Amino acid sequence: MTEVVKIDFVEALRQFGADEAALRLLDIDGPALLPYATLLSARNGGDADLLAVGGIYEWQGAPLVFLVAADRLGGDDARLRRIRRVLAMRGDAPYLGVVGAGRLDIYHIGLDDCRPAEARVDVGVATGQEIATLAHLANARPGLPAGNRQWISQVVLKLLGGSIDTLKTVCGVDDDDAISLVGRALFTRFLGDRHLLESLGVDILTAAGLFDDAASAAKTSDWLDATFNGDFLPTSLGIWDRLPQEAFKVLGDILRRAPGGQLLFGWEESWDSLDFAHIPVGVLSQAYEHYLHRHAPDRQRREGGFYTPRPIADLMVRGGLNAVARTTPAYAARILDPAAGAGVFLITAFRQLVAENWRASGRRPDTHELRRILYDQVTGFDINEAALRFAALGLYLMSIELDAHPEPVRKLKFENLRGRVLLKMSGDGQGRSLGSLGPAVGDEHVGQYDLVVGNPPWATSTRLPGWLGVQAIIHRIAAERLPADYPPPPIPNEVLDLPFVWRAMEWAKPLGQIAFALHARLLFQQGDGMQSARRALFAALDVTGVINGVELRQTRVWPEIAAPFCILYACNQAPPQGAGCRLVSPRLEGALNQSGGMRIDATNAELITTKEILETPEIFKLLFKGTRADVQVYERLRAHVPERLGEYWRRLFGVEAGRARFTGNGYQKLRNSSRIRTHGDGLPGVPADYLHGRREVTLASMTNILVDEEALPFFNEARIHDRRAETLFDGPLVVVQKAPPASLGRIRTAIAQRGAVFNTSLYGYSSRAHDNGLLVRYLSLVIGSKIALWQVLITSGEFGFERDTVEKATIDRLFIPTVESLSCDDRCEVLRLFQLVQDGAPDAWNEVDRWCASIYHLRERDLQVLTDTLQFNLPFAENRRLAQAPAGNEAVKQFCKVLGAELSLWGQRLGRYIEALPASKMDASPWRGIRITSSVAKPKRQAVQHIDWAKFLPLADHFAATEVIFEEARDCLWLGRLDQARYWSESQARLVAQRVAWEHMDVLKGRASA
């Protein structure tokens, strides 16, 4: 291939909107290419197919499109099929791009046997809009196969699990030996596929027989021990003589590899279809960690561990090391994962440290330097022997993968990683262990690490023996960090992840960094002592950033977990004066998330001060489900209505046995957990005959706000789980539905004037001792208003977080004007509005909303904020769909109208006309544009041209931005916003107006800086 026809990827991709900073060219090796070490090794080894791959286009630090020069393919479809298959072994980028003169053809990458025409992606970019191609691919992910695609990690997981399980169940091998045997076979396969056995006279085909019988397997195993030393997956004495022949078939299958050309035709999930010359070590480590949890579900439930996807581990390690670099050279950092599992974070950290060392020294680390980094800078703790064995294997393999010159093989000898790099923290081995949280971690680890990173277990109610010792350690650490009069921090429900954060404060150096993936209850849970736990943690630790992944649970961003997660970044010091953290909440974006991607838009993060966190327990929920405008409305509401419903009810009716009287949850039917009382009748639960003769209100009967009591069935349960006070069911009674119906868009309430029994689907407030029904009618309207649902959405620790139900405590925390504070006119209005709703008047509930706004002292624009927040952030399918849908033209025009009106208030002061007009829409662009102009004379109406997409798109895509603003001239701003309806509401327009006024006043004045 001559230089004359060689494709210049930078120039060729410019017309497709490429961000040049995201382009990785493979011609010259460098530290940024270490994630592609296997690809580079194959190219350097003369792989004719992969020589055609000349670069990678990344999005948010992860590969998006592998780039192939069209002239190198020469129209060879078979070659293109081989390249697709080989790149799919990597398990990272979804696309392959063939680049030619004025052309970019996109194919989806897969392990399938599709012909190129079948794998070709219709990107959906019209002629004349090619500038949006790469941005569209990154943000919309078009053309990827739906359903259960053959991701390489899933294939390896299936094969790995099958081999280990067969050794255990069919061959009678114990757990630890099964892990080590499969690991040894995999390591040998790894060496063979990478041609590292050829110096020993063993080629790929010969390697396939190295574990076929006891003699060959023992000889191979002895060679591995002698060559690599270290803690090389130890096996029990005499294992090879005890193995049945079936076991050697299992191990032999791992070694077998189809000849290279046969990989093209057909596809089966079998060992011989894989090529470990191209499968990165991280895939194997992730697959094994996934195996541990899938095949040990009891342990997973008990320990609360979850395997960590490689992209999340990469994100956390990169972010942590970038923060380390502010105070310490990143290449010299010592890194600890105190819950290492199969080593996903350790492998990522090791590779990143090698890259940092390369950048600092200007030369690629050799074998000796790679060993030094591994032995001296990477440490992992765990309690699981199997996990530590595979972590060791992963680190061995990564050392070889990162080595530019791994031959001769004898120079790859390792020192023992156990006790130095990998430490087992299981105490004396008796019973359940405290692991890293207990005394097994010695003082030699205190203050030793520049970065403590990982995904500690999230389990609750663990009842671990020695838990008081864990609390004592945490209280000691807290006493050193918190003011003298600060109470000891609680650990609600004995959760495991919070203690790891406290212990990390000991292990990290002063001003060192901490980066943990945690259960998001830390941010949002309001009950069970979590508010106090949150306050204490944020008062003791300078948390600098939080990625809130709640919306992304049950997507491919973190597959197979239902629990909401967050990623916490912190500097190991008490928060200084004025400290705060940036909250990034990636939104649900169906196509992007289902391909495993998420938008981390750090440029538009919310800044939350430590003071706010300590004083406003709901602040994270407020800014997750709302905006700063919602915070302002909430503060206004709280100032005008200082009393909460629960406090008001206690004041009215008093307290009995520590609980407010005449209010509570409904009865529970008998359950398996219903206890037999010591002084009872010998049966589970309690007799329910004391409630017989009463009617029962059900969800089905709540079709009207005033239930037809004569139509209610009589309560007829013989026994119930526990006794409920009879007075709870007396009338007048308002019942509140626990799960707001998505179709209603409100919390459903209803009145039973004479009272009724109700079950746990409902909460009740009985006002018999107060009046003849005004109070419950008032409550039914206020709790049913949008203002109440909005309060629930932005403050509840469950609704819109982990469940779609509203807890009773959240209803009790609603700010609500008291009946006594209402004027005579407002009391009459209660009765009038209730009658309207009862009669089903068309606009009745909207009238209720407007009246409620008046008694809460909210303005019309406050009500608009509430309406917008509910429309786009309620946790129902239709609201989620609407939030992601493209903004309609009318919505964009209204956005511009509100934005222009808000900015014109500034224009009047400045003596200028300010106008905001929508730019012409480009269908393929993920963003829409607005042109904001400031002029002395009133501008003439004219069509607004396209935004300068060539300037805007690479910039917006570089930051994965929801919004980008740039100056075009001294009196003109261009505003680009993501084309999703949630970003184009009237409330959003007002927020944008504030930002423009604060940050671009020079443009509004007409004298922008050059």
Side-chain angles (χ1 to χ4, degrees), residues 688-737:
D689 52 358
Y690 74 103
L691 296 176
H692 289 176
R694 291 177 178 263
R695 304 273 187 173
E696 180 172 6
V697 62
T698 62
L699 294 180
S701 65
M702 293 172 63
T703 55
N704 193 293
I705 197 168
L706 184 67
V707 298
D708 180 0
E709 295 176 50
E710 294 301 321
L712 296 179
F714 283 99
F715 174 77
N716 60 8
E717 296 287 337
R719 303 183 70 83
I720 55 178
H721 177 72
D722 213 343
R723 188 179 179 87
R724 289 286 186 266
E726 236 183 310
T727 52
L728 173 61
F729 306 116
D730 289 342
L733 171 73
V734 59
V735 288
V736 179
Q737 186 172 343

Short mmCIF file of all heavy atoms in Angstrom, two decimals, residues 688-737:
data_model
loop_
_atom_site.label_atom_id
_atom_site.label_comp_id
_atom_site.label_asym_id
_atom_site.label_seq_id
_atom_site.Cartn_x
_atom_site.Cartn_y
_atom_site.Cartn_z
N ALA A 688 -59.80 -11.57 63.46
CA ALA A 688 -60.26 -10.30 62.87
C ALA A 688 -61.74 -10.07 63.09
O ALA A 688 -62.32 -9.17 62.49
CB ALA A 688 -59.94 -10.30 61.38
N ASP A 689 -62.36 -10.85 64.02
CA ASP A 689 -63.80 -10.72 64.19
C ASP A 689 -64.22 -9.38 64.78
O ASP A 689 -65.35 -8.95 64.61
CB ASP A 689 -64.35 -11.86 65.04
CG ASP A 689 -63.61 -12.01 66.37
OD1 ASP A 689 -62.64 -11.26 66.60
OD2 ASP A 689 -64.00 -12.90 67.16
N TYR A 690 -63.26 -8.68 65.42
CA TYR A 690 -63.60 -7.37 65.99
C TYR A 690 -63.90 -6.34 64.90
O TYR A 690 -64.47 -5.28 65.17
CB TYR A 690 -62.48 -6.88 66.92
CG TYR A 690 -61.22 -6.38 66.23
CD1 TYR A 690 -60.96 -5.02 66.12
CD2 TYR A 690 -60.30 -7.27 65.70
CE1 TYR A 690 -59.82 -4.55 65.50
CE2 TYR A 690 -59.15 -6.82 65.08
CZ TYR A 690 -58.91 -5.45 64.99
OH TYR A 690 -57.77 -5.00 64.38
N LEU A 691 -63.53 -6.64 63.65
CA LEU A 691 -63.81 -5.74 62.53
C LEU A 691 -65.00 -6.21 61.70
O LEU A 691 -65.38 -5.51 60.74
CB LEU A 691 -62.57 -5.62 61.63
CG LEU A 691 -61.32 -4.98 62.27
CD1 LEU A 691 -60.15 -5.02 61.29
CD2 LEU A 691 -61.60 -3.55 62.70
N HIS A 692 -65.55 -7.34 62.04
CA HIS A 692 -66.70 -7.84 61.26
C HIS A 692 -67.90 -6.91 61.46
O HIS A 692 -68.10 -6.32 62.52
CB HIS A 692 -67.04 -9.26 61.68
CG HIS A 692 -66.02 -10.26 61.24
ND1 HIS A 692 -66.07 -11.60 61.56
CD2 HIS A 692 -64.90 -10.12 60.47
CE1 HIS A 692 -65.04 -12.23 61.03
NE2 HIS A 692 -64.31 -11.35 60.38
N GLY A 693 -68.69 -6.80 60.43
CA GLY A 693 -69.83 -5.89 60.45
C GLY A 693 -69.52 -4.55 59.82
O GLY A 693 -70.42 -3.75 59.56
N ARG A 694 -68.20 -4.30 59.58
CA ARG A 694 -67.80 -3.07 58.89
C ARG A 694 -67.66 -3.32 57.39
O ARG A 694 -67.37 -4.44 56.95
CB ARG A 694 -66.45 -2.56 59.43
CG ARG A 694 -66.49 -2.01 60.86
CD ARG A 694 -65.08 -1.60 61.29
NE ARG A 694 -65.05 -1.03 62.63
CZ ARG A 694 -65.05 0.27 62.89
NH1 ARG A 694 -65.11 1.14 61.89
NH2 ARG A 694 -65.00 0.71 64.13
N ARG A 695 -67.88 -2.27 56.63
CA ARG A 695 -67.65 -2.34 55.18
C ARG A 695 -66.14 -2.23 54.91
O ARG A 695 -65.38 -1.73 55.73
CB ARG A 695 -68.37 -1.20 54.48
CG ARG A 695 -69.87 -1.14 54.76
CD ARG A 695 -70.65 -2.00 53.80
NE ARG A 695 -72.09 -1.85 53.95
CZ ARG A 695 -72.97 -2.41 53.13
NH1 ARG A 695 -72.56 -3.13 52.10
NH2 ARG A 695 -74.26 -2.25 53.33
N GLU A 696 -65.75 -2.68 53.71
CA GLU A 696 -64.33 -2.58 53.33
C GLU A 696 -64.19 -1.78 52.04
O GLU A 696 -64.81 -2.09 51.03
CB GLU A 696 -63.70 -3.97 53.13
CG GLU A 696 -62.23 -3.88 52.74
CD GLU A 696 -61.52 -5.21 52.71
OE1 GLU A 696 -62.18 -6.26 52.88
OE2 GLU A 696 -60.28 -5.21 52.51
N VAL A 697 -63.35 -0.73 52.10
CA VAL A 697 -63.08 0.08 50.91
C VAL A 697 -61.87 -0.53 50.21
O VAL A 697 -60.86 -0.85 50.84
CB VAL A 697 -62.85 1.56 51.27
CG1 VAL A 697 -61.65 1.75 52.18
CG2 VAL A 697 -62.67 2.39 50.00
N THR A 698 -61.97 -0.71 48.92
CA THR A 698 -60.89 -1.29 48.11
C THR A 698 -60.50 -0.32 47.01
O THR A 698 -61.19 0.67 46.74
CB THR A 698 -61.35 -2.61 47.48
OG1 THR A 698 -62.46 -2.33 46.60
CG2 THR A 698 -61.80 -3.61 48.54
N LEU A 699 -59.40 -0.63 46.32
CA LEU A 699 -58.98 0.22 45.19
C LEU A 699 -60.07 0.27 44.12
O LEU A 699 -60.32 1.33 43.53
CB LEU A 699 -57.68 -0.33 44.58
CG LEU A 699 -56.43 -0.26 45.46
CD1 LEU A 699 -55.24 -0.85 44.71
CD2 LEU A 699 -56.13 1.17 45.89
N ALA A 700 -60.72 -0.86 43.90
CA ALA A 700 -61.76 -0.91 42.86
C ALA A 700 -62.94 -0.02 43.20
O ALA A 700 -63.65 0.45 42.29
CB ALA A 700 -62.22 -2.35 42.66
N SER A 701 -63.16 0.23 44.49
CA SER A 701 -64.32 1.03 44.88
C SER A 701 -64.04 2.53 44.88
O SER A 701 -64.94 3.34 45.09
CB SER A 701 -64.80 0.60 46.27
OG SER A 701 -63.81 0.90 47.26
N MET A 702 -62.76 2.91 44.61
CA MET A 702 -62.38 4.33 44.68
C MET A 702 -62.54 5.01 43.33
O MET A 702 -61.65 5.71 42.86
CB MET A 702 -60.95 4.46 45.21
CG MET A 702 -60.81 4.02 46.66
SD MET A 702 -59.09 3.96 47.24
CE MET A 702 -58.58 5.68 47.08
N THR A 703 -63.66 4.78 42.68
CA THR A 703 -63.90 5.42 41.38
C THR A 703 -64.36 6.86 41.53
O THR A 703 -64.33 7.62 40.58
CB THR A 703 -64.96 4.63 40.59
OG1 THR A 703 -66.14 4.51 41.41
CG2 THR A 703 -64.45 3.24 40.24
N ASN A 704 -64.80 7.22 42.72
CA ASN A 704 -65.23 8.59 43.00
C ASN A 704 -64.56 9.03 44.29
O ASN A 704 -64.23 8.21 45.15
CB ASN A 704 -66.75 8.65 43.14
CG ASN A 704 -67.26 10.09 43.11
OD1 ASN A 704 -67.00 10.89 44.02
ND2 ASN A 704 -67.99 10.42 42.06
N ILE A 705 -64.36 10.33 44.42
CA ILE A 705 -63.70 10.83 45.62
C ILE A 705 -64.56 10.61 46.86
O ILE A 705 -64.06 10.60 47.98
CB ILE A 705 -63.33 12.32 45.45
CG1 ILE A 705 -62.28 12.73 46.49
CG2 ILE A 705 -64.56 13.21 45.51
CD1 ILE A 705 -61.65 14.07 46.24
N LEU A 706 -65.87 10.43 46.69
CA LEU A 706 -66.75 10.05 47.79
C LEU A 706 -67.27 8.65 47.48
O LEU A 706 -68.04 8.47 46.53
CB LEU A 706 -67.92 11.03 47.94
CG LEU A 706 -68.85 10.77 49.12
CD1 LEU A 706 -68.12 10.99 50.45
CD2 LEU A 706 -70.08 11.67 49.04
N VAL A 707 -66.82 7.65 48.24
CA VAL A 707 -67.18 6.27 47.90
C VAL A 707 -68.65 6.00 48.23
O VAL A 707 -69.21 6.59 49.17
CB VAL A 707 -66.28 5.26 48.65
CG1 VAL A 707 -64.83 5.42 48.26
CG2 VAL A 707 -66.45 5.37 50.14
N ASP A 708 -69.23 5.15 47.44
CA ASP A 708 -70.60 4.70 47.68
C ASP A 708 -70.54 3.60 48.74
O ASP A 708 -70.30 2.44 48.44
CB ASP A 708 -71.21 4.18 46.38
CG ASP A 708 -72.65 3.70 46.56
OD1 ASP A 708 -73.17 3.76 47.70
OD2 ASP A 708 -73.23 3.24 45.57
N GLU A 709 -70.75 3.98 49.98
CA GLU A 709 -70.54 3.04 51.08
C GLU A 709 -71.52 1.88 51.05
O GLU A 709 -71.20 0.77 51.50
CB GLU A 709 -70.60 3.79 52.41
CG GLU A 709 -69.46 4.79 52.55
CD GLU A 709 -69.53 5.62 53.83
OE1 GLU A 709 -69.69 5.04 54.90
OE2 GLU A 709 -69.44 6.86 53.72
N GLU A 710 -72.72 2.10 50.55
CA GLU A 710 -73.70 1.01 50.51
C GLU A 710 -73.27 -0.09 49.53
O GLU A 710 -73.70 -1.24 49.66
CB GLU A 710 -75.07 1.55 50.09
CG GLU A 710 -75.69 2.51 51.09
CD GLU A 710 -75.86 1.85 52.46
OE1 GLU A 710 -76.24 0.65 52.49
OE2 GLU A 710 -75.61 2.53 53.48
N ALA A 711 -72.43 0.28 48.57
CA ALA A 711 -71.98 -0.70 47.58
C ALA A 711 -70.72 -1.44 48.03
O ALA A 711 -70.28 -2.38 47.36
CB ALA A 711 -71.71 0.00 46.24
N LEU A 712 -70.14 -1.04 49.16
CA LEU A 712 -68.92 -1.69 49.63
C LEU A 712 -69.23 -3.06 50.20
O LEU A 712 -70.24 -3.25 50.89
CB LEU A 712 -68.24 -0.84 50.71
CG LEU A 712 -67.72 0.54 50.29
CD1 LEU A 712 -67.09 1.25 51.49
CD2 LEU A 712 -66.72 0.43 49.15
N PRO A 713 -68.35 -4.03 49.95
CA PRO A 713 -68.56 -5.36 50.56
C PRO A 713 -68.24 -5.32 52.06
O PRO A 713 -67.51 -4.44 52.52
CB PRO A 713 -67.54 -6.23 49.82
CG PRO A 713 -66.45 -5.28 49.43
CD PRO A 713 -67.13 -3.98 49.12
N PHE A 714 -68.80 -6.26 52.79
CA PHE A 714 -68.46 -6.36 54.20
C PHE A 714 -67.11 -7.05 54.36
O PHE A 714 -66.75 -7.96 53.60
CB PHE A 714 -69.54 -7.15 54.95
CG PHE A 714 -70.78 -6.36 55.22
CD1 PHE A 714 -71.91 -6.50 54.40
CD2 PHE A 714 -70.83 -5.45 56.26
CE1 PHE A 714 -73.05 -5.77 54.63
CE2 PHE A 714 -71.98 -4.71 56.50
CZ PHE A 714 -73.10 -4.86 55.69
N PHE A 715 -66.36 -6.60 55.35
CA PHE A 715 -65.07 -7.21 55.66
C PHE A 715 -65.32 -8.61 56.22
O PHE A 715 -66.14 -8.80 57.13
CB PHE A 715 -64.35 -6.34 56.70
CG PHE A 715 -63.08 -6.95 57.22
CD1 PHE A 715 -61.92 -6.92 56.45
CD2 PHE A 715 -63.02 -7.55 58.47
CE1 PHE A 715 -60.74 -7.48 56.91
CE2 PHE A 715 -61.85 -8.11 58.94
CZ PHE A 715 -60.70 -8.07 58.17
N ASN A 716 -64.58 -9.62 55.69
CA ASN A 716 -64.89 -10.99 56.11
C ASN A 716 -63.65 -11.84 56.39
O ASN A 716 -63.75 -13.07 56.47
CB ASN A 716 -65.77 -11.68 55.07
CG ASN A 716 -65.07 -11.75 53.71
OD1 ASN A 716 -63.90 -11.42 53.60
ND2 ASN A 716 -65.79 -12.19 52.69
N GLU A 717 -62.47 -11.22 56.53
CA GLU A 717 -61.28 -12.00 56.85
C GLU A 717 -61.42 -12.60 58.25
O GLU A 717 -61.82 -11.91 59.19
CB GLU A 717 -60.02 -11.13 56.80
CG GLU A 717 -59.70 -10.57 55.43
CD GLU A 717 -59.16 -11.62 54.48
OE1 GLU A 717 -58.63 -12.65 54.95
OE2 GLU A 717 -59.28 -11.42 53.25
N ALA A 718 -61.08 -13.90 58.39
CA ALA A 718 -61.17 -14.54 59.71
C ALA A 718 -60.01 -14.12 60.60
O ALA A 718 -60.18 -13.88 61.80
CB ALA A 718 -61.18 -16.06 59.55
N ARG A 719 -58.81 -14.03 60.01
CA ARG A 719 -57.63 -13.64 60.78
C ARG A 719 -56.79 -12.69 59.94
O ARG A 719 -56.81 -12.73 58.70
CB ARG A 719 -56.78 -14.87 61.17
CG ARG A 719 -57.53 -15.94 61.95
CD ARG A 719 -56.61 -17.08 62.37
NE ARG A 719 -55.65 -16.68 63.39
CZ ARG A 719 -55.92 -16.64 64.70
NH1 ARG A 719 -57.15 -16.95 65.14
NH2 ARG A 719 -55.00 -16.30 65.57
N ILE A 720 -56.03 -11.85 60.61
CA ILE A 720 -55.11 -10.92 59.93
C ILE A 720 -53.74 -11.01 60.59
O ILE A 720 -53.57 -11.61 61.66
CB ILE A 720 -55.64 -9.46 59.98
CG1 ILE A 720 -55.91 -9.01 61.41
CG2 ILE A 720 -56.88 -9.32 59.11
CD1 ILE A 720 -56.38 -7.56 61.52
N HIS A 721 -52.74 -10.42 59.92
CA HIS A 721 -51.34 -10.54 60.36
C HIS A 721 -51.13 -9.93 61.74
O HIS A 721 -50.45 -10.51 62.60
CB HIS A 721 -50.43 -9.85 59.34
CG HIS A 721 -48.99 -9.85 59.72
ND1 HIS A 721 -48.21 -10.98 59.69
CD2 HIS A 721 -48.17 -8.83 60.15
CE1 HIS A 721 -46.98 -10.68 60.06
NE2 HIS A 721 -46.93 -9.38 60.35
N ASP A 722 -51.68 -8.74 61.95
CA ASP A 722 -51.50 -8.04 63.23
C ASP A 722 -52.71 -7.15 63.47
O ASP A 722 -53.42 -6.78 62.53
CB ASP A 722 -50.22 -7.20 63.19
CG ASP A 722 -49.54 -7.11 64.55
OD1 ASP A 722 -50.21 -7.42 65.56
OD2 ASP A 722 -48.36 -6.73 64.60
N ARG A 723 -52.91 -6.79 64.71
CA ARG A 723 -54.09 -6.01 65.07
C ARG A 723 -53.91 -4.55 64.65
O ARG A 723 -52.84 -3.98 64.78
CB ARG A 723 -54.33 -6.11 66.58
CG ARG A 723 -55.64 -5.48 67.02
CD ARG A 723 -55.83 -5.64 68.53
NE ARG A 723 -57.08 -5.01 68.97
CZ ARG A 723 -58.25 -5.62 68.96
NH1 ARG A 723 -58.35 -6.87 68.56
NH2 ARG A 723 -59.34 -4.99 69.38
N ARG A 724 -54.98 -3.97 64.15
CA ARG A 724 -55.04 -2.54 63.89
C ARG A 724 -56.11 -1.94 64.79
O ARG A 724 -57.16 -2.56 65.02
CB ARG A 724 -55.40 -2.26 62.42
CG ARG A 724 -54.29 -2.60 61.44
CD ARG A 724 -53.18 -1.55 61.50
NE ARG A 724 -52.17 -1.77 60.47
CZ ARG A 724 -51.04 -2.47 60.64
NH1 ARG A 724 -50.81 -3.05 61.81
NH2 ARG A 724 -50.17 -2.59 59.68
N ALA A 725 -55.84 -0.72 65.28
CA ALA A 725 -56.80 -0.07 66.17
C ALA A 725 -58.12 0.13 65.44
O ALA A 725 -58.15 0.57 64.28
CB ALA A 725 -56.26 1.27 66.65
N GLU A 726 -59.22 -0.18 66.14
CA GLU A 726 -60.55 -0.03 65.54
C GLU A 726 -60.81 1.41 65.13
O GLU A 726 -61.47 1.68 64.12
CB GLU A 726 -61.61 -0.50 66.56
CG GLU A 726 -62.50 -1.58 66.02
CD GLU A 726 -63.59 -1.97 67.00
OE1 GLU A 726 -63.27 -2.23 68.17
OE2 GLU A 726 -64.76 -2.01 66.55
N THR A 727 -60.31 2.34 65.93
CA THR A 727 -60.57 3.76 65.66
C THR A 727 -59.96 4.22 64.34
O THR A 727 -60.36 5.25 63.80
CB THR A 727 -60.03 4.62 66.80
OG1 THR A 727 -58.64 4.29 67.03
CG2 THR A 727 -60.80 4.38 68.09
N LEU A 728 -58.97 3.48 63.82
CA LEU A 728 -58.36 3.84 62.54
C LEU A 728 -59.39 3.79 61.42
O LEU A 728 -59.28 4.52 60.43
CB LEU A 728 -57.20 2.87 62.22
CG LEU A 728 -56.53 2.95 60.85
CD1 LEU A 728 -55.90 4.33 60.63
CD2 LEU A 728 -55.48 1.86 60.69
N PHE A 729 -60.41 2.95 61.57
CA PHE A 729 -61.38 2.72 60.50
C PHE A 729 -62.68 3.50 60.68
O PHE A 729 -63.61 3.33 59.90
CB PHE A 729 -61.67 1.22 60.40
CG PHE A 729 -60.44 0.38 60.23
CD1 PHE A 729 -60.06 -0.53 61.21
CD2 PHE A 729 -59.63 0.51 59.11
CE1 PHE A 729 -58.92 -1.30 61.06
CE2 PHE A 729 -58.48 -0.25 58.95
CZ PHE A 729 -58.12 -1.16 59.94
N ASP A 730 -62.74 4.37 61.71
CA ASP A 730 -63.95 5.15 61.95
C ASP A 730 -64.07 6.28 60.94
O ASP A 730 -63.08 6.79 60.41
CB ASP A 730 -63.94 5.74 63.37
CG ASP A 730 -64.14 4.66 64.44
OD1 ASP A 730 -64.62 3.57 64.08
OD2 ASP A 730 -63.81 4.92 65.61
N GLY A 731 -65.30 6.72 60.69
CA GLY A 731 -65.53 7.86 59.80
C GLY A 731 -65.72 9.14 60.59
O GLY A 731 -65.95 9.10 61.80
N PRO A 732 -65.61 10.27 59.93
CA PRO A 732 -65.21 10.44 58.53
C PRO A 732 -63.75 10.03 58.31
O PRO A 732 -62.89 10.31 59.13
CB PRO A 732 -65.39 11.93 58.26
CG PRO A 732 -66.29 12.42 59.35
CD PRO A 732 -65.97 11.57 60.55
N LEU A 733 -63.50 9.39 57.18
CA LEU A 733 -62.21 8.78 56.90
C LEU A 733 -61.77 9.13 55.49
O LEU A 733 -62.55 9.02 54.55
CB LEU A 733 -62.34 7.25 57.04
CG LEU A 733 -61.17 6.39 56.58
CD1 LEU A 733 -60.01 6.49 57.55
CD2 LEU A 733 -61.61 4.92 56.45
N VAL A 734 -60.50 9.57 55.36
CA VAL A 734 -59.92 9.72 54.03
C VAL A 734 -58.89 8.62 53.86
O VAL A 734 -58.07 8.37 54.75
CB VAL A 734 -59.27 11.11 53.81
CG1 VAL A 734 -58.18 11.41 54.81
CG2 VAL A 734 -58.70 11.22 52.40
N VAL A 735 -58.99 7.91 52.73
CA VAL A 735 -58.01 6.88 52.41
C VAL A 735 -57.16 7.36 51.24
O VAL A 735 -57.64 8.05 50.34
CB VAL A 735 -58.67 5.52 52.10
CG1 VAL A 735 -59.24 4.89 53.36
CG2 VAL A 735 -59.73 5.65 51.04
N VAL A 736 -55.89 6.97 51.28
CA VAL A 736 -54.91 7.43 50.29
C VAL A 736 -54.29 6.20 49.64
O VAL A 736 -53.80 5.30 50.35
CB VAL A 736 -53.82 8.28 50.97
CG1 VAL A 736 -52.78 8.73 49.94
CG2 VAL A 736 -54.42 9.46 51.70
N GLN A 737 -54.29 6.14 48.32
CA GLN A 737 -53.72 4.99 47.62
C GLN A 737 -52.20 5.03 47.69
O GLN A 737 -51.57 6.05 47.39
CB GLN A 737 -54.19 4.95 46.17
CG GLN A 737 -53.73 3.70 45.42
CD GLN A 737 -54.36 3.58 44.04
OE1 GLN A 737 -55.36 4.23 43.74
NE2 GLN A 737 -53.77 2.75 43.19
#
